[in-house]
Amino acid sequence: MKRYLLHIDGAAREPRSGRWFDTQNPYTGESWAQIPRGDASDVDDAVQAAHRALTQGPWAELTATQRGALLRRLADLIARDAVQLATTEVRDNGKLLAEMQGQLNYIPQWFHYYAGLADKVQGSTLPLDKKGYFAFTRHEPVGVVAAITPWNSPLMLLSWKIAPALAAGCTVVVKPSEFTSASTLELAGLFDEAGFPPGVFNVVTGFGAEVGTPLVEHPLVAKISFTGSDSTGRLINEKAGRHLKHTAMELGGKSPNVVFEDADLEQAAYGAISGIFAATGQTCIAGSRLLVQSSIHDAFVERLLALARTARMGDPMRPDTQVGPITTPPQYQKVLEYIDIARSEGATAVLGGERGRAPECGQGWFVQPTIFTNVRNDMRIAQEEVFGPVLSIIRFENEADALRIANDVRFGLAAAVWTKDIGRAIRMSERLQAGTVWVNTYRAVSFMAPFGGYKDSGLGRENGIDAIREYVQTKCVWINGGAVAGNPFVMR
Ligand code: NAD
């Protein structure tokens, strides 16, 4: 079995504990590699290295343009190794090769985009109200960034953090999910090959309590950029608050996908399917609440069922597979429990609702694509994040009703509206409480488009020009150009 190493201070290294743990392939259920079991001492080594790189090393001496050049080199190496990295991700998280390959092919764009932005983070000169002074602002790196990532799209979600953080001049310590650490450790080697100085990018793998907690609490970590569940996010934010650290939180969702009677129903059906069954529903932006106008409800459900029944479960490495396994055993149990909860609440399973046992499911942790009708918005299945291939369909009567139901949830990551009425599209996009609203599409993301949550779905934004501001702090410099000191006991 392949045995991976930590990446600290520009070198691959064994964990100080001398311990490793197995990582499993969700399709076969078999262990395929050993991941270093890091602890607080490895975290300290990594953070100290990142802090040295930030304050003393050659990294601190580079111009922003030179940082951009390094990011471009890294982008090219990721593009070169995209097939290898995507294959590793499929082995670890069981998502379709088609999906992970698509992500890996796209990831270099994040590094090119922020490489271009690196030397455009300009301060301003201030038209001061005080004579004889000159003042200007500088945007300086916020410091050592702890990047903590989940298992569903390991390298893509990491890139959303590290591309702007490195462009801004920060250094990084990454703690990937214990379920999907391998691709992040493989990525680390590319930093050395690209010529990044030691300590700029470090990876400590392991568990939340053993690596995540000491990383969050380390005094030399200035910012925590987290993607994961809202319960872990809250915990981290509480600790960060105690230590007065900056945070960015990309958390869960329960996104409404709203289909009006005047929509292009074929396109809407595709959008509904991609909203919930793509990535086996293991995506923060899953359109897990499908709101359908009463006048078209039955016909639309029929159309959806016809499409969903064609979904092929199976080996995620095969190009014709459409629904892969659930990534982790605990998540598998959780999805099955939610199916039981939905049934006990009175929802009707019109599709699926069982473990996937077809021969093509192998030994994997499969759940059949599942659709519930007769869902009320106050049911747990309509309010809580399942993170699996389970769709809840809720009826609505009119626009006001749709809006009320859509917003009646504690999350606010994404929402979609399907309609041909431009006025309705504008009204809904203004009133839906979500960080992303799609009109007549679903699950579109870009390095250029700000992404993040309203309400319990998070704090801060990733992607787009503003994301680089998440990794800088503003300094205001005052220069006395000849003002004469007056009374020293009062403010100037
Ligand atoms: P999780 O919260 O269980 O774990 C996320 C990361 O936090 C892992 O690396 C984990 O080891 C680490 N962690 C756990 N306890 C910790 C602690 N006490 N201190 C520090 N780190 C700790 O989430 P998950 O199950 O890996 O991912 C699924 C969740 O992520 C879903 O809720 C999903 O909606 C969310 N997610 C959000 C986005 C987004 O951009 N908004 C994207 C993908 C996934």
Side-chain angles (χ1 to χ4, degrees), residues 302-318:
E302 276 315 310
R303 189 187 279 264
L304 208 59
L305 285 174
L307 201 54
R309 283 195 193 105
T310 65
R312 274 186 305 277
M313 289 189 290
D315 182 349
M317 294 297 289
R318 285 183 57 117

Side-chain angles (χ1 to χ4, degrees), residues 149-152 175 178 226-229 232 251-252 284 385 387:
T149 52
W151 41 261
N152 57 335
K175 185 238 165 295
E178 56 272 34
F226 171 79
T227 300
S229 62
T232 309
L251 309 176
C284 52
E385 187 183 43
F387 221 59

